[in-house]
Every structure is written in structure tokens, then in C-alpha cells.
Amino acid sequence: MSSSDQLPDDSSEPVQENSPGRILKAARIEQNQSQLDISKALNISEQRVEALEQDYYTPFSGRTYVRGYLLNYGRMLNVDSQSLLDAFNQI
């Protein structure tokens, strides 16, 4: 990521309780997977995995790409695709 794509610090606006990022992060932790494991499986950088988990979509080329990454990440962890899309559409 470039310097303009840096992740926001934790003091930024609050995220909705059941955001896609929170859903995915909780599933990843529950399955004892690291962000590195996810990045290797999805062939994306750890920074992008972290961005997805923080619901920070600026580094991505558009909503279509974000949806694709979220769905692939969710499939990998057996997370319901519709719940991810519903949460994403509320953002």
C-alpha cells in the first residue's frame, strides 16, 4: 500500500457492530488462522487482509473488488455469503 493507503488508527469513527470486517476477523480468530494465512490463501497482501477486517476499503479499486474479496475471504472461512453482503451493503 502507498502512504495514502495507510490504515486508519483505532480512533477513527466507530464501525457497525456486525460489519463485514468484524465478522471475518471473528471467524478467522475462531479458526486459529493468522492474517498471513489468509493473505497467502487469497493471494493478497496482509495489509489488504487487515484493511478488510477494519472495513477500510480505500486501498481497493472499487466496491465490486471489495465485494469479491469479502466473498472469497468468507468462503475460505465458511462464513455465510449473504450475511457478509448484507453487512457490506449497510456501510
Side-chain angles (χ1 to χ4, degrees):
M1 276 191 241
S2 68
S3 61
S4 64
D5 293 336
Q6 294 297 317
L7 295 173
D9 62 21
D10 289 338
S11 63
S12 61
E13 313 180 1
V15 176
Q16 69 187 59
E17 184 147 337
N18 287 320
S19 71
R22 287 184 181 212
I23 293 168
L24 291 170
K25 183 175 183 178
R28 175 181 61 78
I29 291 169
E30 182 179 310
Q31 294 181 30
N32 296 314
Q33 300 271 346
S34 69
Q35 287 181 338
L36 179 60
D37 296 330
I38 303 301
S39 72
K40 286 180 179 179
L42 297 179
N43 199 29
I44 62 174
S45 70
E46 281 184 85
Q47 291 83 8
R48 288 199 174 212
V49 172
E50 185 175 0
L52 289 170
E53 289 183 356
Q54 291 185 12
D55 300 301
Y56 180 65
Y57 306 126
T58 301
F60 301 93
S61 299
R63 288 183 66 86
T64 301
Y65 289 100
V66 173
R67 285 171 51 105
Y69 284 125
L70 290 172
L71 290 174
N72 286 333
Y73 190 172
R75 277 188 212 111
M76 182 183 165
L77 299 173
N78 297 313
V79 172
D80 177 60
S81 297
Q82 192 59 52
S83 66
L84 282 176
L85 290 179
D86 290 345
F88 180 64
N89 290 330
Q90 291 178 9
I91 295 177

